Amino acid sequence: MPIATPEVYSEMLDRAKAGKFAYPAINVTSSQTLHAALRGLAEAESDGIIQISTGGAEFLGGQYNKDMVTGAVALAEFAHIVAEKYPVTVALHTDHCPKDKLDAYVRPLLKVSQERVAAGRDPLFQSHMWDGSAENLDDNLAIAKELLAEAVKAKIILEMEITPTGGEEDGVSHEINDNLYTTVDDAFRTVEAVGLGEQGRYLLAASFGNVHGVYKPGNVVLRPAILKELQDAVAQKYGKANAFDFVFHGGSGSTLEEINEALENGVVKMNIDTDLQYAFTRPVADHMFRNYDGVLKVDGEVGNKKTYDPRVWGKAAEAGMAARVVVAAENLRSAGNKRK
């Protein structure tokens, strides 16, 4: 069962939470990065989550018309076929989608899966993300409530970001300041709006100082203890322990200690993008520098097809990204924890 059914996906999340590990959520932008992600998960013996952002979907849709839905659907269908060759289970997810792109991305994809479910099939994707972090919380949660109802019809889990993550990703940016910390009141308002599972299951991207992009350890103040504060406050008020399934955004540069604390406090999914982009590109740069006179037709020469063939440097790129996925799975404790 390479692509998780809705039931299997829920079981995966439950198992991660109980076992205090998280799934690497790997952004892909091509069939090649998809294979790299699947290969890395297989080598780590880890299940995982494959995700496509709005920018990734636009790129996948081709530069002629840049249609996000076409790009996302095409790669998802491709994944349903090629994942059969890998001995792990993965869920398909769409990453950050702000308000101005909902009608061109998440809502049409929800309809695709609703039609599949109505026809007796599984949804195309297993979860979608609504990024309302640029909106005020009332508007954010009102849209989340509407999307959650639509997701339930498609047997899909909704991920929502209720407060800002710093930095920039796919055009959504936030300053790095004290607003990057979700409060207990934010958590209470979230529960009041979308419940604790009775209205539909959701993943919650709460903020504890996270920043998208590239930074060195120590440059950003992460406070994973905030997640425990939110869990404890909700448990005391609503009587449900460890109610939230948390998502760790902006994890590049995080220390292993910070990751471990987040896992202990309910993180079941951690997004991995920036580090994997570099891991994919670095071997390509190495190949080009070492073989510049073969990949280029220098001084009127003909170059060397064996060095500029995309399959040559593409294989190195896949291997580099896959190796970094293994490291991510080990850091998140999902390595060796694939479904039996």
Side-chain angles (χ1 to χ4, degrees), residues 126 136 218 251 254 314:
Q126 286 66 58
N136 67 64
S254 302

Side-chain angles (χ1 to χ4, degrees), residues 1-15 23 80 89-92 113-114 116-118 120-128 150-158 200-203 245 339:
M1 191 182 297
I3 303 296
T5 65
E7 296 76 18
V8 166
Y9 190 28
S10 285
E11 178 270 326
M12 285 170 58
L13 297 174
D14 290 341
R15 196 160 54 85
Y23 296 106
H80 276 264
T89 303
V90 295
L92 302 180
S113 285
Q114 287 172 356
R116 288 170 62 104
V117 168
R121 303 170 65 196
D122 287 326
L124 183 60
F125 284 87
Q126 286 66 58
S127 51
H128 291 301
E150 293 300 310
V152 168
K153 296 176 187 176
K155 298 184 178 180
I156 282 174
I157 293 172
L158 183 70
R201 187 165 190 172
Y202 59 87
L203 301 169
D245 298 328
R339 292 180 73 247

Side-chain angles (χ1 to χ4, degrees), residues 102-140:
L102 283 174
D103 287 342
Y105 195 49
V106 165
R107 287 192 175 111
L109 290 174
L110 281 169
K111 294 296 183 186
V112 169
S113 285
Q114 287 172 356
E115 290 170 2
R116 288 170 62 104
V117 168
R121 303 170 65 196
D122 287 326
L124 183 60
F125 284 87
Q126 286 66 58
S127 51
H128 291 301
M129 182 185 177
W130 150 236
D131 183 354
S133 59
E135 315 301 320
N136 67 64
L137 189 55
D138 284 342
D139 290 344
N140 181 343

